[in-house]
Amino acid sequence: MKKILSSILIVLGIIFASTFNVSANESFRFNASESKTDYKYGMEHQYYRGEIVHNEVTSPQVYNVLNFELEENNYDIISIDGYKTNGYGMVGLNGMMERFEKENPNVEVIGGINGDFYHINTSGDPINPHIRDYEVIWKGGNNSAAVAIKSDGSLSFEKVVHDGLEVLVINEFGEIKKRLPVKNVNKDVLTDSEVSIVFDNYDKAVLDSLNTTYVKGLDLKPAINQKPANANANYYTYAKGLVETKLDKTVGDNDFIVISKEIKEAISAGDKIVFQTRIKNFDDVRYAVGLNPNMKLVGNGEVVLNPDKNQHPRTAIGVKANGEVFTIVVDGRNKMDGKYGVTLTQLGHLMKKHGAVEAYNLDGGGSSTLMVGNSTNFEVLNELSDKRIRSISNGFLIVKGLSKTSRVTVPENDVRDVFSTPTNLHLDSDKVLHFNQVPNAKAYEIKINDKIIQTSNTSVPLRFYTLGEHKISVRVKSSIDKKASNYSEEITMLNHYQEVSSMLEYLKEFAKNNMGGK
């Protein structure tokens, strides 16, 4: 019925001009000369060509609307970026898709849009906050804003308030064993009763009498516009590393040392340590893309007027009263083809008229990119004003098959029971892995050689792009109430050429069957 109604709307949209009316003080309407509605991977897509009449000034426009239909399709929206290890970077949205697919072969990419503003003339440094899998990669400015996506997939626009520096000890199960505020960075300290950290730009040795934890750096991010000289305490804004057993009191390149008796007593072999800025009320935010707080388009259902009169290609993200998330991407910088671009106020009017009660402007211009599909089979819905896919700092992906689990904090006195170990692992003739459901388990980790993927299903198609032998075992992922199970007994899968040739079919089938626990 939905598609039938959409077909009727297509015809009506072409025959009749669609007029949007607003208050007399701020006159705005869009006269559509052409409109189309179709479905892209289950998401409603609308295309409009026509003209905006804003305060009696007319400008030809073309724009696309994509309603993500997250709940209906069991999709999720996540942050994505092009950052390199020990720095930042810029990558096209299709390149970000490819990177995500390689790291998450069990999750299907459905589409994506560009994200926040960044330093385009340097190394792609982000401007506003960015969170990836609960970790604050870049803190952004205090009192900035962000699109915050929680562990349950819900999305909201939130104010960002810094709450000091912190260090987290993460165990092999991804649980938080210890979370403490950081008192000192790159300072000479005489006590280990509070947490201090020294990085590789601190050229002294830590006192032998202090309890220290040496951390082998996996990824260290420098703060924007900071220099490492003179033991600059503000140089690093994020660091993640693996706990090592060595007792060195001087820091090697790209490593760091945590000075703390409490941390020393909490760590175990295989633990990771994360140093970051804590953001108030963001502990359950799994993904976030920053926003310019001065570029709010719609608030409480009303258009936010902005003095900027420049018309550009624009990207916006909004939430409707029923919680649905959608985007509008407006073409521009092509007046010969009736694509003038819009001002921020005009974009706000469009977002409101398509149902937004809250909406923000994202990066625009040549960065504006609206894609559906995956890295090897994608379609760009908007006209790229650069005539190519621009390399950008970050963005959003729409995905299917994401495992829904919150990050667990280990209780102070951990008396949780242990989940039972999955049993009856076997592969059928189609190389689908099956195992018995464990009571109350919400997610599983499948270990295939040294690769771990998460799923909520107990039947998982497995075909891999490497020839040879694959050792497979499964364990239940931990929860607030129970510890992770032990890994099951291993089974072996022999992969042959026929399976390699159908890798793409595997990825598609796996994501279709892995519903992410919703």
Side-chain angles (χ1 to χ4, degrees):
M1 176 61 73
K2 190 173 185 180
K3 289 182 171 62
I4 294 172
L5 289 173
S6 297
S7 299
I8 295 171
L9 289 173
I10 292 171
V11 175
L12 292 175
I14 294 173
I15 296 175
F16 300 106
S18 300
T19 301
F20 299 148
N21 295 314
V22 295
S23 67
N25 293 333
E26 178 72 15
S27 66
F28 178 91
R29 64 182 184 274
F30 182 84
N31 299 322
S33 59
E34 180 184 3
S35 63
K36 301 176 183 177
T37 300
D38 57 8
Y39 284 81
K40 306 288 188 181
Y41 298 86
M43 299 180 289
E44 184 184 50
H45 166 241
Q46 299 166 308
Y47 167 88
Y48 292 91
R49 176 182 283 274
E51 60 182 19
I52 280 176
V53 183
H54 182 212
N55 294 332
E56 305 312 314
V57 177
T58 300
S59 58
Q61 304 289 346
V62 171
Y63 70 94
N64 287 270
V65 185
L66 189 64
N67 296 286
F68 297 144
E69 315 270 4
L70 298 177
E71 186 171 353
E72 183 175 337
N73 291 304
N74 199 27
Y75 292 166
D76 285 283
I77 183 169
I78 65 171
S79 64
I80 191 70
D81 58 70
Y83 306 152
K84 60 186 178 182
T85 301
N86 298 328
Y88 301 99
M90 295 174 284
V91 179
L93 191 58
N94 57 324
M96 294 182 190
M97 288 178 171
E98 181 179 9
R99 178 183 298 183
F100 179 83
E101 290 164 346
K102 287 181 178 178
E103 295 174 353
N104 303 272
N106 58 309
V107 181
E108 181 183 8
V109 174
I110 304 298
I113 61 172
N114 65 285
D116 187 30
F117 294 89
Y118 60 100
H119 294 93
I120 191 171
N121 294 321
T122 56
S123 59
D125 302 342
I127 293 176
N128 295 303
H130 189 75
I131 296 176
R132 183 208 306 149
D133 214 8
Y134 299 104
E135 295 174 7
V136 183
I137 307 301
W138 171 237
K139 62 183 179 179
N142 202 19
N143 296 315
S144 57
V147 181
I149 304 159
K150 292 190 174 182
S151 58
D152 62 1
S154 62
L155 179 150
S156 61
F157 302 113
E158 301 294 341
K159 183 179 180 180
V160 171
V161 178
H162 297 165
D163 195 22
L165 301 172
E166 66 175 354
V167 64
L168 293 84
V169 179
I170 311 295
N171 65 19
E172 63 170 310
F173 309 112
E175 301 172 322
I176 300 174
K177 292 174 63 176
K178 189 69 68 174
R179 185 173 208 155
L180 294 173
V182 173
K183 181 69 174 179
N184 305 295
V185 177
N186 283 357
K187 289 185 178 180
D188 302 335
V189 295
L190 303 175
T191 178
D192 55 15
S193 62
E194 52 194 18
V195 180
S196 302
I197 294 184
V198 292
F199 289 98
D200 59 359
N201 61 329
Y202 178 84
D203 58 3
K204 301 178 184 179
V206 178
L207 293 177
D208 287 335
S209 60
L210 300 179
N211 284 283
T212 60
T213 302
Y214 194 94
V215 186
K216 183 65 177 176
L218 298 173
D219 189 12
L220 282 73
K221 303 293 189 195
I224 312 304
N225 298 322
Q226 294 288 336
K227 302 296 182 183
N230 303 318
N232 181 4
N234 298 315
Y235 180 61
Y236 287 112
T237 185
Y238 163 85
K240 184 176 184 177
L242 185 65
V243 169
E244 292 206 337
T245 57
K246 64 181 182 179
L247 303 176
D248 293 37
K249 298 292 184 175
T250 56
V251 188
D253 290 347
N254 295 318
D255 297 342
F256 57 101
I257 293 175
V258 180
I259 306 164
S260 167
K261 183 175 185 292
E262 193 170 353
I263 294 294
K264 183 71 173 180
E265 293 173 344
I267 61 170
S268 306
D271 288 347
K272 293 184 175 68
I273 288 186
V274 173
F275 164 79
Q276 63 183 19
T277 296
R278 192 169 193 172
I279 299 176
K280 283 187 177 180
N281 303 317
F282 267 58
D283 289 352
D284 194 33
V285 172
R286 186 174 182 181
Y287 302 100
V289 173
L291 299 165
N292 184 330
N294 298 317
M295 291 188 177
K296 190 170 189 174
L297 302 172
V298 181
N300 297 318
E302 297 299 327
V303 174
V304 178
L305 303 183
N306 190 293
D308 185 0
K309 302 300 182 184
N310 295 310
Q311 290 184 309
H312 293 295
R314 305 275 189 183
T315 303
I317 186 169
V319 177
K320 299 179 182 181
N322 62 1
E324 289 185 4
V325 184
F326 73 104
T327 185
I328 287 181
V329 180
V330 182
D331 292 346
R333 298 178 183 169
N334 185 0
K335 292 185 177 181
M336 293 292 291
D337 192 29
K339 300 171 182 176
Y340 277 50
V342 292
T343 67
L344 292 174
T345 299
Q346 290 167 348
L347 184 57
H349 281 295
L350 289 177
M351 291 298 289
K352 178 182 177 180
K353 293 310 168 184
H354 283 278
V357 292
E358 301 286 334
Y360 272 86
N361 180 63
L362 299 171
D363 192 12
S367 297
S368 283
T369 310
L370 173 58
M371 296 173 61
V372 292
N374 56 41
S375 65
T376 59
N377 181 27
F378 62 84
E379 177 186 2
V380 179
L381 300 180
N382 65 306
E383 180 179 89
L384 302 170
S385 65
D386 282 358
K387 309 306 179 188
R388 59 178 175 82
I389 297 175
R390 176 184 283 185
S391 292
I392 55 178
S393 178
N394 56 57
F396 299 90
L397 292 186
I398 309 303
V399 300
K400 185 172 185 177
L402 191 71
S403 181
K404 297 286 201 311
T405 52
S406 299
R407 173 170 273 184
V408 174
T409 297
V410 177
E412 195 68 31
N413 298 309
D414 192 2
V415 294
R416 292 176 297 166
D417 290 334
V418 178
F419 274 114
S420 300
T421 303
T423 58
N424 194 27
L425 270 72
H426 62 280
L427 290 161
D428 64 23
S429 59
D430 293 322
K431 297 292 177 67
V432 177
L433 173 69
H434 302 277
F435 52 91
N436 290 344
Q437 172 76 36
V438 174
N440 301 314
K442 294 183 179 179
Y444 302 88
E445 292 181 339
I446 303 173
K447 185 177 182 181
I448 304 157
N449 297 338
D450 59 352
K451 176 74 174 178
I452 294 177
I453 60 176
Q454 294 186 20
T455 181
S456 297
N457 283 1
T458 56
S459 294
V460 182
L462 294 181
R463 289 193 187 123
F464 289 88
Y465 51 87
T466 54
L467 295 171
E469 186 176 277
H470 298 276
K471 299 292 186 181
I472 302 170
S473 58
V474 180
R475 73 179 177 192
V476 181
K477 190 172 172 60
S478 63
S479 70
I480 295 174
D481 302 316
K482 287 192 173 185
K483 296 179 183 178
S485 75
N486 295 321
Y487 273 110
S488 66
E489 292 185 3
E490 286 185 346
I491 62 172
T492 300
M493 178 177 71
L494 292 175
N495 202 20
H496 303 292
Y497 180 79
Q498 288 83 357
E499 282 77 38
V500 176
S501 65
S502 57
M503 178 187 68
L504 294 179
E505 285 77 7
Y506 144 70
L507 290 173
K508 181 178 179 181
E509 181 67 18
F510 185 87
K512 183 175 71 174
N513 286 281
N514 178 10
M515 302 305 290
K518 263 194 172 181

